Amino acid sequence: MTVAVDLGTTHTGDPAELDLEELLSTRLLVQGNSGSGKSHLLRRLLEKSAGWVQQAIIDPEGDFVTLADRFGHVVVDANRTPNDLARIASRIRQHRASVVLTLEGLDADVQMQCAAAFLNGLFDADRAYWFPMLIAVDEAHLFAPAMAGEHSEEARRASLGAMTNLMCRGRKRGLAGVIATQRLAKLAKNVAAEASNFLMGRTFLDIDMQRAADLIGIDRRGAERFRDLETGNFVALGPALFRRPIPIRIGPTETAARSGRPVLMPMPDIAPDALADLVLTQSEEERAAEARPARRMLARRETPAEEAESVRETASLATGEILARVAETRAANDVSGLDETDERSPEERAAAVDAIFNDMLEDPEAAFRPVPVLYQEFLTHCRLKRLRGAETDMDAFRRRLSLARAGISGEETDGEWAEVVAVSADLPQEMQGVFMMLARAAREEAECPPDEALATAYGSHSPSRGRFLLSFMEEHGLIGVEKDFRGNRIVSILATGWRTRLPEVTLDSLDEARARRAARMARKA
């Protein structure tokens, strides 16, 4: 079935139509300097073909997310792990969903690796799901650069390989690449050469004009026309367009980009002195934004002291049992003189025990003390508060200590927490608190605790101990560990399906990533 997509009008006023079925077999390359109307052309093509073919848009600036409201595209935030993106891409092909992969706010290296993982996921889908699909890539020179630059070699190779697969081998898998670039000289030749349809917009540099002229088969003198093209005007050629170069003008679109074209507007009517005050005086919002990182740093410093989720027993098992028995004997002797009656309700006794644990864990060194030592301290507090019985049992103390160090109250042990506690019983005693610390972060969808916090919870000062604990638990099938393109971890609790979240992308994190990349490039130089 032939479907004619209305792109606009030719220079003679006739309809400029694109054969969608032919495009799926021959691919399309759009070239034009910034402001020539490339993104507008892509939007017109995607809008007019949305009802006929599945679409995926690689969107580095977040301009195409507006298609979601009008045409039902699913917006996929690329700030995920490689495995997540690959799984999403597989489900996209399976369910024939049109999507916009937004890379807005990500560092350049991360954008390249995200696009590579997503495209590879589409490419590697099962043969049963090889349905026809348009893959539109805006600013394609970012993902298929002609030469190595400021990007890491690993990111460049991954992204270039995925783009080459899309343009060279994607046809048999139903993938039709539609790529747009500002400059042909910046785009890898292996990627550009696989397109059979071309839409060439306004171009000023001689090298780009000559390459555009060579691709559409016009002489050097004819290449000068590219300088005179107005915004939204292109020269079209290809089996899905016209058999000879024809100037066309792109028609209007139903949706618009969030950024849009710059528009002049009047200057603010503010007195110079008042304007100077606005510029030179720090606002309340800025002061609050500067205070937030300081509060986060303070929270990180307090975490080992306030929560201290786990502990390492430094004594041997035999020694620990002996000390425990001695402690229990002393406790029995010490409480013999206490009043047998206790008029407090169970809730009041539980609150008293909670208060004891809170007092004990305020000590920063509590994370590094053996359990028997802590148990003796606990019994001392119990004597002062005239508590004895089930609350002072050694086994109950061990379980309660693990929960308290994970920041879990007694009420939280109901329901799914009971399953977490049961699973943790398969781990060595010194690792159980660390596991529940991870479970608590995953349940609250917080970020994964750093290596230092995991090591402290285990009773070690070495961050490498935290990485070992994660590897140990993953090998024993208790957790799943994935990393995103920045090395941030996502930990899944397999028994419950809880997952930690990735840290939010901020200007500070982007600056840190750029600094690390600059240092890496300096070392290579």
Side-chain angles (χ1 to χ4, degrees):
M1 178 179 63
T2 300
V3 175
V5 177
D6 180 15
L7 295 181
T9 58
T10 66
H11 64 297
T12 60
D14 297 325
E17 296 180 339
L18 179 144
D19 187 337
L20 184 58
E21 192 172 48
E22 186 68 25
L23 176 63
L24 294 174
S25 301
T26 53
R27 297 168 292 279
L28 172 65
L29 170 63
V30 181
Q31 189 265 346
N33 290 157
S34 179
S36 61
K38 299 186 305 301
S39 297
H40 178 81
L41 187 156
L42 286 182
R43 186 177 294 274
R44 171 82 176 190
L45 170 60
L46 293 168
E47 289 181 356
K48 293 300 181 180
S49 62
W52 296 99
V53 66
Q54 183 184 1
Q55 301 171 349
I57 303 103
I58 309 297
D59 186 8
E61 299 297 335
D63 286 336
F64 289 90
V65 297
T66 52
L67 291 172
D69 295 334
R70 176 64 180 83
F71 297 97
H73 289 62
V74 178
V75 178
V76 178
D77 186 353
N79 187 29
R80 303 172 186 270
T81 66
N83 289 339
D84 273 348
L85 289 175
R87 286 191 290 264
I88 289 172
S90 179
R91 292 193 292 269
I92 286 169
R93 299 220 66 183
Q94 178 181 355
H95 300 293
R96 302 191 66 187
S98 292
V99 300
V100 179
L101 180 71
T102 174
L103 305 167
E104 184 182 17
L106 300 179
D107 188 61
D109 273 13
V110 177
Q111 284 190 343
M112 297 175 75
Q113 295 180 66
C114 286
F118 183 75
L119 290 174
N120 288 335
L122 297 176
F123 189 84
D124 295 335
D126 189 88
R127 179 182 288 270
Y129 307 128
W130 287 1
F131 304 111
M133 188 175 187
L134 279 185
I135 311 296
V137 184
D138 198 14
E139 308 296 350
H141 55 277
L142 300 178
F143 308 105
M147 61 186 70
E150 61 180 9
H151 310 297
S152 69
E153 185 64 17
E154 178 185 1
R156 190 186 74 86
R157 285 180 180 272
S159 182
L160 180 57
M163 289 288 290
T164 303
N165 279 339
L166 169 66
M167 297 299 288
C168 297
R169 302 168 57 200
R171 182 181 67 83
K172 292 184 178 180
R173 289 166 170 78
L175 303 177
V178 177
I179 59 176
T181 182
Q182 292 181 2
R183 293 191 57 202
L184 284 170
K186 288 184 177 182
L187 186 66
K189 291 183 179 180
N190 288 343
V191 174
E194 295 301 323
S196 301
N197 301 284
F198 306 97
L199 285 162
M200 300 300 180
R202 184 174 59 224
T203 305
F204 288 98
L205 292 181
D206 290 342
I207 184 173
D208 293 323
M209 287 193 300
Q210 188 57 47
R211 283 195 63 182
D214 292 341
L215 285 173
I216 63 176
I218 61 178
D219 57 22
R220 184 179 295 271
R221 181 174 298 178
E224 297 291 333
R225 75 170 73 176
F226 293 124
R227 283 199 178 105
D228 300 327
L229 291 174
E230 297 180 357
T231 298
N233 286 262
F234 292 81
V235 177
L237 176 70
L241 292 162
F242 304 98
R243 297 297 176 177
R244 58 188 180 88
I246 299 293
I248 68 172
R249 181 172 185 82
I250 306 302
T253 59
E254 299 179 42
T255 62
R258 292 185 301 177
S259 55
R261 294 177 61 85
V263 178
L264 292 176
M265 57 188 303
M267 297 295 292
D269 186 13
I270 302 177
D273 292 342
L275 190 59
D277 289 339
L278 291 175
V279 172
L280 301 177
T281 304
Q282 190 179 36
S283 66
E284 293 293 337
E285 292 79 5
E286 290 173 332
R287 281 193 288 270
E290 290 182 359
R292 277 195 292 271
R295 287 196 293 270
R296 287 197 299 269
M297 291 298 295
L298 180 60
R300 283 197 292 270
R301 287 195 299 269
E302 293 173 349
T303 296
E306 292 181 350
E307 296 184 1
E309 286 79 5
S310 185
V311 69
R312 179 188 58 177
E313 294 181 15
T314 56
S316 66
L317 180 59
T319 303
E321 291 179 352
I322 293 172
L323 289 175
R325 291 172 185 171
V326 171
E328 290 173 358
T329 303
R330 290 178 178 174
N333 293 334
D334 289 340
V335 300
S336 58
L338 295 178
D339 188 359
E340 294 292 339
T341 61
D342 191 341
E343 298 179 354
R344 288 172 292 188
S345 66
E347 292 77 13
E348 291 173 337
R349 292 173 63 86
V353 173
D354 288 339
I356 292 174
F357 273 99
N358 291 336
D359 291 341
M360 291 175 57
L361 295 180
E362 285 181 355
D363 184 358
E365 296 300 320
F368 305 99
R369 292 178 184 168
V371 172
V373 174
L374 290 173
Y375 181 58
Q376 294 182 45
E377 181 180 346
F378 171 71
L379 291 176
T380 301
H381 285 283
C382 288
R383 289 195 299 272
L384 294 175
K385 293 183 179 293
R386 304 182 65 81
L387 286 171
R388 62 176 179 173
E391 293 91 346
T392 62
D393 178 73
M394 180 64 166
D395 292 335
F397 172 78
R398 284 178 177 270
R399 291 192 298 270
R400 187 62 181 272
L401 182 64
S402 296
L403 294 175
R405 287 178 167 172
I408 304 165
S409 65
E411 292 76 10
E412 289 178 304
T413 58
D414 296 335
E416 290 180 299
W417 269 115
E419 185 175 0
V420 171
V421 174
V423 171
S424 69
D426 296 333
L427 288 169
Q429 179 71 34
E430 62 271 19
M431 292 188 185
Q432 293 179 10
V434 180
F435 176 74
M436 285 187 281
M437 174 186 187
L438 293 170
R440 180 171 180 259
R443 187 188 194 191
E444 296 175 355
E445 296 184 354
E447 298 176 14
C448 177
D451 294 336
E452 294 80 2
L454 296 175
T456 301
Y458 185 71
S460 172
H461 294 283
S462 174
S464 62
R465 179 61 62 179
R467 295 188 290 272
F468 163 76
L469 293 171
L470 290 176
S471 300
F472 182 89
M473 295 178 192
E474 185 177 22
E475 290 173 1
H476 286 73
L478 300 180
I479 64 173
V481 181
E482 298 179 23
K483 289 186 178 181
D484 71 354
F485 300 102
R486 302 182 191 86
N488 299 315
R489 286 190 301 253
I490 290 182
V491 172
S492 304
I493 306 301
L494 301 183
T496 60
W498 299 336
R499 297 186 68 186
T500 61
R501 66 173 175 84
L502 290 173
E504 296 180 0
V505 179
T506 62
L507 292 178
D508 291 341
S509 64
L510 290 177
D511 291 341
E512 291 174 2
R514 295 188 183 102
R516 288 195 299 270
R517 186 173 69 254
R520 184 171 62 249
M521 298 295 289
R523 287 196 299 271
K524 290 182 179 179

